[in-house]
């Protein structure tokens, strides 16, 4: 593979870290006080899910998320932080890539009617898939430094 300036593995590390920074920005711009104290994030998601055209999304959300709004708020907010930190540092990278892919697919499916969000979630999912199959943890990562996931 020929590349300019960096090697292919280094460009993949840049892509991985960029995805991590994207997750960190998702975490940073959240109104955590609103999510944790007033339940704004989960309340919005419950409203979106309640109007969803697919009954599996409506019923799944009612069963899993709606009864636990506080817990789910913490899960979502801190999952985004953990994904960002894991991908930027390259720690447990394959786990972070799979978890991020699943979270983006969940967001994509939940917000199927919100075209403004679809591009972001589709691109983040694609980057996760490419980074996973290209094993983007081989360079500039704690995984490589510790000999994890050879």
């Amino acid at each position: 593979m020929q590349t300019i300036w960096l090697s292919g593995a280094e460009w993949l590390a840049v892509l991985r870290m960029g995805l991590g920074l994207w997750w960190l920005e998702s975490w940073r711009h959240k109104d955590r006080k609103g999510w944790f104290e007033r339940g704004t994030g989960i309340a919005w998601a419950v409203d979106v899910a309640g109007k969803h055209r697919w009954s599996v999304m409506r019923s799944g959300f009612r069963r899993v998320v709606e009864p636990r709004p506080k817990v789910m708020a913490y899960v979502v907010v801190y999952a985004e932080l953990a994904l960002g930190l894991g991908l930027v540092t390259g720690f447990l990278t394959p786990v972070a890539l799979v978890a991020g892919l699943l979270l983006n697919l969940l967001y994509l499916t939940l917000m199927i009617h919100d075209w403004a969000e679809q591009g972001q979630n589709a691109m983040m999912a694609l980057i996760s898939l490419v980074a996973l199959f290209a094993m983007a943890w081989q360079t500039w990562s704690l995984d490589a430094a510790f000999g994890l996931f050879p």
Side-chain angles (χ1 to χ4, degrees):
M1 168 191 293
Q2 289 186 340
T3 63
I4 297 172
W5 193 37
L6 300 174
S7 72
E10 290 169 337
W11 279 120
L12 285 168
V14 169
L15 186 66
R16 181 199 80 228
M17 289 185 271
L19 179 60
L21 291 172
W22 204 341
W23 279 116
L24 287 174
E25 176 56 21
S26 291
W27 172 79
R28 187 198 64 80
H29 84 263
K30 279 204 175 14
D31 173 12
R32 285 180 288 285
K33 194 171 192 170
W35 272 72
F36 299 149
E37 294 176 16
R38 296 186 311 276
T40 56
I42 298 300
W44 170 83
V46 166
D47 182 57
V48 170
K51 298 173 189 169
H52 206 282
R53 72 172 83 163
W54 299 339
S55 63
V56 69
M57 287 301 292
R58 288 191 308 270
S59 63
F61 222 82
R62 275 190 211 114
R63 196 169 327 145
V64 176
V65 178
E66 210 168 327
R68 305 165 187 84
K70 260 212 192 301
V71 170
M72 296 312 286
Y74 280 94
V75 167
V76 169
V77 171
Y78 287 110
E80 291 181 355
L81 175 62
L83 290 169
L85 292 173
L87 292 170
V88 168
T89 63
F91 183 63
L92 301 177
T93 310
V95 176
L97 288 168
V98 169
L101 176 62
L102 293 174
L103 191 56
N104 278 127
L105 292 176
L106 180 64
Y107 289 171
L108 189 71
T109 306
L110 176 64
M111 296 179 283
I112 199 82
H113 309 300
D114 186 351
W115 290 106
E117 289 288 326
Q118 297 300 46
Q120 172 179 314
N121 289 304
M123 288 302 100
M124 289 176 80
L126 177 62
I127 293 168
S128 292
L129 207 57
V130 168
L132 180 66
F133 289 131
M135 298 172 29
W137 53 88
Q138 297 175 67
T139 302
W140 299 341
S141 73
L142 292 175
D143 291 338
F146 296 144
L148 303 174
F149 313 108

